[in-house]
Amino acid sequence: MPHFEDFYADKLRGGLGVTDAESVMDLRGANRATAEASLNEMLERSRFAKGKTVAIRLDPPPEGGGETLFQPVGRLLLDAKRRGLVDRLQTLPAGDGLGFYVALAGKPQREPA
């Protein structure tokens, strides 16, 4: 795996973070079932509202390694992107901690008749 200096790694991660999002979903301290239920509720509600951006914050890996919510949450969000519920999905910049920046598609605009 190549090593990137922080400057270049941040460019690859993207610059949009917690301060750029319209709202923040803080899943730090949540278990997997609660996190998935919260995300599914957010995605379901977004189908009936205008699009918005959300920063999703997750716990960092425990010291010594272990499971985090990063992979299950990422898979759920990727599936939502494939279904057209998410327009943009990227990881948060390193300074914001572990998580995702998500642009929800929202309710499709109806064509004028």
Side-chain angles (χ1 to χ4, degrees), residues 14-93:
L16 296 172
V18 173
T19 57
D20 303 302
E22 295 171 83
S23 62
V24 176
M25 178 181 279
D26 193 347
L27 297 178
R28 294 178 292 185
N31 62 34
R32 184 174 177 168
T34 302
E36 287 178 350
S38 296
L39 287 168
N40 284 325
E41 183 179 340
M42 175 190 73
L43 292 168
E44 183 63 25
R45 285 183 178 188
S46 76
R47 294 179 43 220
F48 305 102
K50 73 177 188 81
K52 70 175 187 174
T53 57
V54 180
I56 300 171
R57 302 188 84 178
L58 304 170
D59 284 321
E63 193 152 327
E67 288 190 20
T68 68
L69 291 175
F70 188 82
Q71 191 172 27
V73 166
R75 284 184 179 149
L76 196 144
L77 292 171
L78 276 174
D79 182 56
K81 185 167 175 51
R82 285 185 202 109
R83 293 183 299 154
L85 300 174
V86 171
D87 282 337
R88 182 178 187 158
L89 173 62
Q90 66 186 57
T91 57
L92 291 175

Side-chain angles (χ1 to χ4, degrees), residues 1-13 94:
M1 174 152 251
H3 172 75
F4 292 102
E5 293 178 24
D6 288 340
F7 173 78
Y8 297 108
D10 288 341
K11 287 225 173 259
L12 287 172
R13 287 186 199 105

